[in-house]
Amino acid sequence: MADDQDSIVEQSDVDSSNECVVDAKPDRSSFVSSFLNRKKKNGSARSVRTSRTRVPTYQYSMDFEKVGKCIIINNKNFDKVTGMDVRNGTDKDAEALFKCFRNLGFDVVVYNDCSCDKMKELLKRASEEDHSKSACFACILLSHGEENLIYGKDGVTPIKDLTAHFRGDRCKTLLEKPKLFFIQACRGTELDDGIQADSGPINDTDANPRYKIPVEADFLFAYSTVPGYYSWRNPGKGSWFVQALCSILDEHGKDLEIMQILTRVNDRVARHFESQSEDPRFHEKKQIPCVVSMLTKELYFSP
């Protein structure tokens, strides 16, 4: 099954002329192994604004000169050796994300068709910048993928090799600040059939001003799908995950906490998208994003 063989449409807006594809190609294990070995609505009738008591002690400070930098890596075209097809529709994603994160106050930079080494270089360089005047950092990866791997135009690289540059022991100016990674890519080749449904207190030792922070703390990873599964993309509208993410951020990005936002993204993708395909193997499939959080406080993009 190749990318261009799958027909997908948004469940609530069927358009037979707009076929969707997945951000992976199955049966690539031999290539992956050899490469590595070598090297504003929420879908309801009305928008309901929810209030939430903010407690400064448990909230990341946004009282900085800048919100922060946002890097978007948009990989559309791939070298023939990878076996990866063109990711039509990813430019829609990149454009929507650029506008969305810029509106949140980020300084956004987009990089297209990056090699694995280029991705590593970009993020290493970003981690070495002075973020002392920034509240946080964001990175968005749009590409093909495997579980724990992301594709550059020339092959695959572990996601960890990109994100590890921002660990607390390597990027001191982002210590105790949120590092956000949004990843639109497949994480395997499983398909989700779906199922029909009816409709703390601080102790004395913590008071010591000299304390350690885990080097892996304050990261958040928002994946477009759960481990092992495909991630769907529409060439005409963009990926399901990015469509939902931008929609919720545009509507609630400045008033909801990040986990509330991403929970609504999960709901939007889960309920409002479903595949339509002439091939019964890929017909009426579903998708659910996945959030992995090591954040230690609540994150609001507004002060």
Side-chain angles (χ1 to χ4, degrees), residues 15-203:
D15 181 355
S16 60
S17 65
N18 227 359
E19 293 186 351
C20 279
V21 289
V22 292
D23 277 329
K25 181 180 178 182
D27 302 323
R28 298 187 296 278
S29 56
S30 59
F31 167 75
V32 173
S33 299
S34 63
F35 183 89
L36 291 177
N37 288 336
R38 283 200 316 271
K39 311 245 295 181
K40 211 162 124 232
K41 297 296 178 184
N42 195 29
S44 59
R46 58 182 178 176
S47 175
V48 180
R49 292 177 68 89
T50 58
S51 61
R52 184 173 184 173
T53 302
R54 297 194 188 187
V55 181
T57 303
Y58 300 105
Q59 188 177 327
Y60 285 110
S61 173
M62 297 301 287
D63 188 20
F64 288 88
E65 184 177 308
K66 299 182 291 185
V67 173
K69 186 170 189 176
C70 175
I71 290 176
I72 299 175
I73 294 178
N74 177 37
N75 289 341
K76 178 179 181 180
N77 303 291
F78 299 83
D79 294 348
K80 186 176 180 180
V81 67
T82 65
M84 295 294 99
D85 292 329
V86 176
R87 297 183 61 253
N88 292 316
T90 191
D91 291 336
K92 292 267 187 185
D93 284 347
E95 180 182 2
L97 288 162
F98 178 88
K99 294 177 181 177
C100 187
F101 278 79
R102 184 181 59 184
N103 289 340
L104 290 175
F106 284 89
D107 298 320
V108 187
V109 185
V110 180
Y111 299 94
N112 296 307
D113 293 342
C114 297
S115 66
C116 292
D117 285 344
K118 181 65 173 179
M119 292 192 293
K120 294 175 186 176
E121 175 194 345
L122 286 172
L123 292 180
K124 184 176 186 296
R125 193 169 65 211
S127 72
E128 294 169 348
E129 294 176 4
D130 183 0
H131 299 273
S132 58
K133 295 181 180 180
S134 298
C136 61
F137 171 82
C139 176
I140 304 169
L141 303 176
L142 309 173
S143 191
H144 288 298
E146 299 280 0
E147 178 56 24
N148 299 322
L149 303 172
I150 194 81
Y151 270 80
K153 67 186 299 291
D154 58 345
V156 288
T157 189
I159 293 173
K160 191 76 172 178
D161 286 359
L162 304 180
T163 63
H165 295 298
F166 297 89
R167 288 174 20 152
D169 57 344
R170 299 181 186 178
C171 184
K172 300 294 181 64
T173 57
L174 282 173
L175 186 64
E176 296 189 84
K177 298 177 182 179
K179 281 80 70 171
L180 313 175
F181 290 85
F182 301 86
I183 303 169
Q184 166 58 42
C186 281
R187 305 179 72 186
T189 58
E190 292 186 57
L191 293 162
D192 190 334
D193 294 326
I195 185 169
Q196 191 65 41
D198 298 330
S199 288
I202 302 176
N203 60 38

Side-chain angles (χ1 to χ4, degrees), residues 282-293:
F282 313 122
H283 186 57
E284 296 182 345
K285 302 305 179 183
K286 303 293 289 184
Q287 178 180 321
I288 181 69
C290 176
V291 182
V292 179
S293 175

Side-chain angles (χ1 to χ4, degrees), residues 264-302:
R264 295 192 183 200
V265 172
N266 283 0
D267 179 74
R268 176 70 61 87
V269 174
R271 297 181 184 275
H272 292 265
F273 294 87
E274 183 174 290
S275 66
Q276 302 292 325
S277 175
E278 294 181 359
D279 188 331
R281 293 176 300 170
F282 313 122
H283 186 57
E284 296 182 345
K285 302 305 179 183
K286 303 293 289 184
Q287 178 180 321
I288 181 69
C290 176
V291 182
V292 179
S293 175
M294 282 74 78
L295 297 183
T296 57
K297 297 180 184 293
E298 297 176 352
L299 172 61
Y300 293 86
F301 289 117
S302 61

Side-chain angles (χ1 to χ4, degrees), residues 223-244:
Y223 295 93
S224 59
T225 190
V226 291
Y229 282 82
Y230 276 126
S231 185
W232 299 99
R233 169 176 38 85
N234 186 294
K237 299 177 181 179
S239 66
W240 295 3
F241 174 64
V242 173
Q243 288 181 60

